[in-house]
Amino acid sequence: MRRRAGAAMTLLALLTGCTGGPSLENQGAVTAPPGDSKHLVVGSAGFTESDLLAQMYLLLLKKAGYGAEILSVANRELYEPALESGQIDVVPEYAATFADWLNAKKNGADAPPVGSPDLDTTMKALRSLAAPRGLTVLDPGKAVDQNAFAVAASYAKEHHLKTLSDLGKSGLKVRLAAGDECVQRPYCAPGLKKVYGIDVTGVDPKGVGTTQAKKAVQDGKDQMVLTTSTDATLDNFGLVLLKDDKHLQNADYIVPVVNRSRAGSDRVAAALGRLNPVLTTEDLASMNEQVDSWRRLAEDVARTYLEKKGLL
């Protein structure tokens, strides 16, 4: 993720004088009615996909008659408290990841995860954790960006692989290019072994979906890479995703999260909800590619997409 120090410093300055939203002492009793502020701040986490989603939210809110601007900062530890305080009004989030983050914030880093592969279960947990903090989690759409595993297309063809189950049944030994945390994370090496029976012989710590990680699989040094379901560069490396047919990965559907006292109105929900039946995982991957590979501006890509879908 690209870090933007200027935005982070701006947000830090804002946080020193936060007003509005629940105080830390009163997070368990949020009683303010849903708000409908005329000017809203959309938060972005500063990487391509988050920038694209934030730009789409911005344009949809403006279409609905709101004044809106974007504040970008790459650190959830900064933007989530700002969302609670009302310095940021809406952010695009990932359901299971955000549920686990809020759960750890409330119950400690060692708390059992509450995100799961089941969307309904995940959303129930997320909303119960968000509400006491003055946050409302709007409905998810169709788009999901979850961890995914890719192999060389030639390797998949040679061994007749379409799913992770196929790989497990093949008995092939697999060296996995991923982040170093993959050794312990249940969705990664342990889960591949337990759920699919894949013989993971080791983790090559080259990061999640990095160029180095994908190149290692392309060159045959590793057999599989941990990336994401909206990775738009796999074709450039001759890689293909293997289907997570037993649903190892959590339900990281994209959801707008809003500050209830400033942006909890039905109008905001309706404006952002127009994206839900339209945006797909494949659409996101395509837009990511336009920004990352074609060097188009996220604002231009987002606007063109919404116009093409008749939302502007």
Side-chain angles (χ1 to χ4, degrees):
M1 296 182 181
R2 301 191 306 275
R3 297 190 174 273
R4 299 184 180 180
M9 291 302 294
T10 300
L11 190 50
L12 277 169
L14 287 170
L15 286 171
T16 62
C18 287
T19 58
S23 67
L24 292 174
E25 293 80 8
N26 296 315
Q27 285 176 346
V30 179
T31 58
D36 193 26
S37 300
K38 293 181 180 179
H39 187 91
L40 300 174
V41 177
V42 181
S44 166
F47 58 96
T48 296
E49 186 167 287
S50 188
D51 286 345
L52 284 163
L53 290 164
Q55 290 289 349
M56 286 189 281
Y57 288 4
L58 177 85
L59 292 167
L60 290 170
L61 289 170
K62 286 184 173 180
K63 174 72 173 178
Y66 292 93
E69 62 182 303
I70 289 178
L71 179 63
S72 182
V73 60
N75 191 325
R76 188 179 275 118
E77 284 77 8
L78 285 176
Y79 74 67
E80 190 279 331
L83 182 63
E84 289 188 29
S85 71
Q87 300 296 336
I88 290 176
D89 302 307
V90 54
V91 295
E93 265 293 357
Y94 301 89
T97 295
F98 196 46
D100 284 338
W101 194 88
L102 290 179
N103 185 48
K105 186 174 180 179
K106 177 183 178 181
N107 298 311
D110 295 329
V114 295
S116 82
D118 181 73
L119 178 58
D120 290 340
T121 300
T122 297
M123 288 297 295
K124 183 177 180 180
L126 174 55
R127 284 173 165 152
S128 69
L129 288 161
R133 296 184 174 276
L135 306 179
T136 296
V137 183
L138 304 184
D139 291 339
K142 298 187 291 186
V144 57
D145 186 357
Q146 56 196 165
N147 293 301
F149 296 92
V151 299
S154 57
Y155 182 84
K157 182 177 181 180
E158 178 184 357
H159 299 289
H160 309 289
L161 307 176
K162 293 184 178 180
T163 68
L164 289 171
S165 287
D166 291 340
L167 182 57
K169 292 173 184 176
S170 73
L172 293 165
K173 295 185 181 299
V174 173
R175 189 166 184 251
L176 178 63
D180 53 9
E181 71 278 2
C182 179
V183 174
Q184 297 180 322
R185 294 286 174 87
Y187 66 79
C188 204
L192 291 172
K193 294 176 182 178
K194 181 178 179 180
V195 175
Y196 288 106
I198 295 173
D199 187 3
V200 179
T201 60
V203 173
D204 186 3
K206 284 185 163 56
V208 179
T210 63
T211 297
Q212 293 85 353
K214 285 180 275 197
K215 193 74 166 57
V217 176
Q218 181 185 40
D219 295 342
K221 296 177 181 177
D222 298 328
Q223 287 71 51
M224 188 160 67
V225 59
L226 171 62
T227 184
T228 64
S229 57
T230 59
D231 188 333
T233 66
L234 294 179
D235 284 347
N236 299 341
F237 296 89
L239 307 181
V240 294
L241 292 177
L242 295 182
K243 185 178 180 181
D244 179 21
D245 53 309
K246 292 185 178 179
H247 307 293
L248 171 63
Q249 302 306 318
N250 284 341
D252 259 331
Y253 284 77
I254 292 161
V255 292
V257 182
V258 302
N259 177 287
R260 183 176 183 270
S261 66
R262 288 186 48 81
S265 70
D266 290 342
R267 279 185 67 213
V268 170
L272 298 179
R274 295 177 65 207
L275 198 57
N276 287 355
V278 176
L279 184 66
T280 66
T281 303
E282 292 75 21
D283 291 341
L284 266 182
S286 174
M287 285 189 280
N288 284 336
E289 181 181 28
Q290 292 176 57
V291 175
D292 290 336
S293 298
W294 304 357
R295 301 304 180 191
R296 294 187 62 196
L297 295 176
E299 178 181 0
D300 294 339
V301 173
R303 181 180 295 277
T304 299
Y305 177 79
L306 294 180
E307 288 175 345
K308 181 180 178 181
K309 296 297 182 179
L311 297 181
L312 289 184

